[in-house]
Amino acid sequence: MIRSATAALALPFRAAPALAAVTLALTVLAGAGPTASAWLTGLLVNELTSGTASAERAAVLAVGSALAGGGAVALLYLCGHLGDVVQHRVALTVESRLFRRIAALPGLRHVEDPAFHDRLRLAEEAAQDAPGTVSQFAQEAVRSAVLLFGFTGALLLVWPPMVPLLLVCAATAVLARLATARREAATEEAWVAADRRRLFYRALLTDVRAAKEIRLFGLGSLLHTRMVDSLTAVSGARLAAARRGTLAQSGLALLGAVVGGIGTVVVAVGVGSGRATVGDLVLFLGAVAGVQGGVSGVVLQLGEAGRAVRLFGHYLDVVGTPDDLERGTGIPLREAEIRLHDVWFRYSDDGPWVLRGVDLTIPPGAAVGLVGVNGAGKSTLVKLLCRFYDPQRGSITWGGVDLRELDVAALRARIGVVFQEFMAYDLTAAENIGIGQVRDLDDRQRVTSAAIAARVDDVLDALPRGYDTMLSRTHADGERTGVALSGGQWQRVALARCLMRADAELLVLDEPTSGLDAVGEHRVHETLRRHAAGRTRLLVSHRLSALRGADLIVTLSGGRIAERGRHDELMDAGGEYARLFRLQAGGYQDGRVR
Ligand SMILES: Nc1ncnc2c1ncn2[C@@H]1O[C@H](COP(=O)(O)OP(=O)(O)O)[C@@H](O)[C@H]1O
Ligand SMILES: [Mg+2]
């Protein structure tokens, strides 16, 4: 809590040091205004009721009082504006730090963890809120401290017992508000998952990719109901937390009024009996109102700040998230053999094992086919090769060196992958390919040759603005709307992106051709054979005929390699591969699809 508060408080001074300091100084000055004004008013009244009043002195006091009060108000506005400027700088700093951390996470363990996403949402919200509310609270606290200091002096002069009475009221209010803040923050934490669901439904209702199914299956009203239900539940919980806080604060306000009333009666009686002057009474009334106003201002801000500080802890957690895997320092060898030694892997400590002792050697330059039913773990194996995760047991070596010892970025620079769930970016056609090798993003010749190799060159050339056409259904490119590609065309764009990686020693195609017809798939494999000759290739495919020419075919079953060999050897062995191959070949011969 204290760590979060100091971190949130320090942020403005880090984001905009000079401005934050000036704002703080002006705030202190603004705090002194009302006290000075009240003192001067008290003196004025005493002057006027003294019997020997001097019009000149009275005028000076009146003008001074007005100036002090008015100046403080003007300063407050100025502080408010400067505070806004500081807040903008802080928001920028905070957002940048948060997303820099996320962009730099080397593995997928956090990104694929729902709890991490919940924390991220809290962190984002807190990062927006906390520095502003905390520094506003700090400003308010400083201003009020100066103000309270002055008023307390006045109260001590007029009727000292009022000070402890007001102190007790203030302390109770502070404690009550802090309790409310804790409840509010706990509510946010408890409901963040539900709120994320709401955002999910909301995004789904406007998602172009989901639009077909939503309409065909008539999901619109179901999703809408769920979205509204989540919203109702979340805002109900928030309101309930706020309601209890409001009740407590109203009770305390009432107590404050009673205490103020008692003090006023005591001092008024004093004036009646000549122990105090009317000026004392005016000063006393001003001081009580000032103290109570100051305290309630601070308490209000304290609540906001307390809630924000607690949630700000999530921001600190996310920003301080340790890497989910060691980065390593070694540089991967060229033309290296890749070996999996007894690799065991599961996604979570209590989840089922996906890979159970996989042993596989991929010789440099070889084309290896990977076969297995859905869920066999083929894509998982690809993820391990890219080192998005480390295996729990066993190891993967590249040229004899454990992947864990290699520099993770250098390793990935040697790998080109078309993932099973490849991305279709809302960027231009050229960018969609060029980002495969960011340093060559603007090298149109390289982009075009990658497109030619992936046999998507004609399609892209024929687009309204050629390679500069925006490939998107949701973003307009200036005046023109984007263009939508078909699934198979997107797959070829993804392949071209992968082929941009000139340094890639290992090319992985994870069922990249599922959107292509048999002829298209055959062509892709042909291209790859020519284009990627000499590089190591790992091909995952459902269509066994496409893997026929591979140097080695392995089947993955039950988390282990069940069969391995060349096509002919596996056919001769008469195992699962041979059975599946005959089944598929039969399907094609009959003219049936599968
Ligand atoms: N991110 C993940 N978290 C938890 N389980 C996963 C994750 N990704 C895949 N799995 C599980 O791992 C198993 C293997 O999945 P996958 O490697 O995608 O299979 P394949 O590519 O062979 O179809 C499946 O049971 C799947 O549910
Ligand atoms: Mg897969």
Side-chain angles (χ1 to χ4, degrees), residues 112 347 354 373-380 383 389 420 510-511:
E112 291 193 334
Y347 282 95
V354 178
V373 294
N374 282 334
K378 305 181 293 295
S379 297
T380 302
K383 288 193 214 169
Y389 290 95
Q420 188 168 13
D510 189 356
E511 303 191 28

Side-chain angles (χ1 to χ4, degrees), residues 122-358:
L122 288 172
E124 229 189 317
E125 201 180 301
Q128 299 286 356
D129 275 6
T133 38
V134 173
S135 62
Q136 251 171 31
F137 164 71
Q139 279 189 27
E140 183 75 26
V142 169
R143 204 176 64 81
S144 302
V146 176
L147 188 136
L148 291 179
F149 189 73
F151 280 138
T152 311
L155 288 177
L156 283 175
L157 280 183
V158 181
W159 191 52
M162 196 61 191
V163 175
L165 278 178
L166 286 178
L167 217 62
V168 170
C169 288
T172 329
V174 165
L175 290 179
R177 192 65 191 88
L178 277 181
T180 309
R182 208 173 310 128
R183 250 194 324 271
E184 283 171 352
T187 310
E188 290 299 314
E189 284 164 350
W191 285 88
V192 63
D195 205 37
R196 214 154 60 78
R197 289 304 289 171
R198 174 182 68 84
L199 292 178
F200 162 72
Y201 292 128
R202 203 180 71 160
L204 211 52
L205 280 170
T206 54
D207 189 340
V208 181
R209 287 164 307 165
K212 293 196 295 288
E213 293 203 3
I214 289 177
R215 276 151 191 75
L216 183 87
F217 296 126
L219 302 178
S221 74
L222 175 79
L223 294 175
H224 177 260
T225 310
R226 288 194 177 182
M227 182 190 91
V228 172
D229 286 352
S230 307
L231 183 59
T232 314
V234 171
S235 50
R238 280 185 186 144
L239 274 179
R243 199 160 38 233
R244 289 179 62 182
T246 309
L247 272 175
Q249 291 306 317
S250 326
L252 287 167
L254 214 62
L255 180 68
V258 170
V259 168
I262 293 172
T264 310
V265 168
V266 171
V267 177
V269 169
V271 173
S273 62
R275 266 181 291 116
T277 64
V278 178
D280 287 344
L281 180 61
V282 172
L283 180 59
F284 180 82
L285 286 176
V288 170
V291 168
Q292 288 184 334
V295 167
S296 73
V298 170
V299 164
L300 203 75
Q301 299 273 359
L302 178 71
E304 296 290 312
R307 173 180 167 279
V309 161
R310 185 169 158 156
L311 295 178
F312 195 69
H314 295 288
Y315 165 77
L316 292 179
D317 283 350
V318 172
V319 170
T321 308
D323 279 348
D324 42 3
L325 37 86
E326 298 263 337
R327 285 168 184 275
T329 52
I331 299 300
L333 289 177
R334 295 213 165 265
E335 296 183 24
E337 181 185 80
I338 300 164
R339 279 192 74 170
L340 287 84
H341 306 261
D342 189 29
V343 168
W344 288 70
F345 179 76
R346 56 180 170 185
Y347 282 95
S348 58
D349 293 340
D350 51 359
W353 289 103
V354 178
L355 301 179
R356 309 162 161 265
V358 172

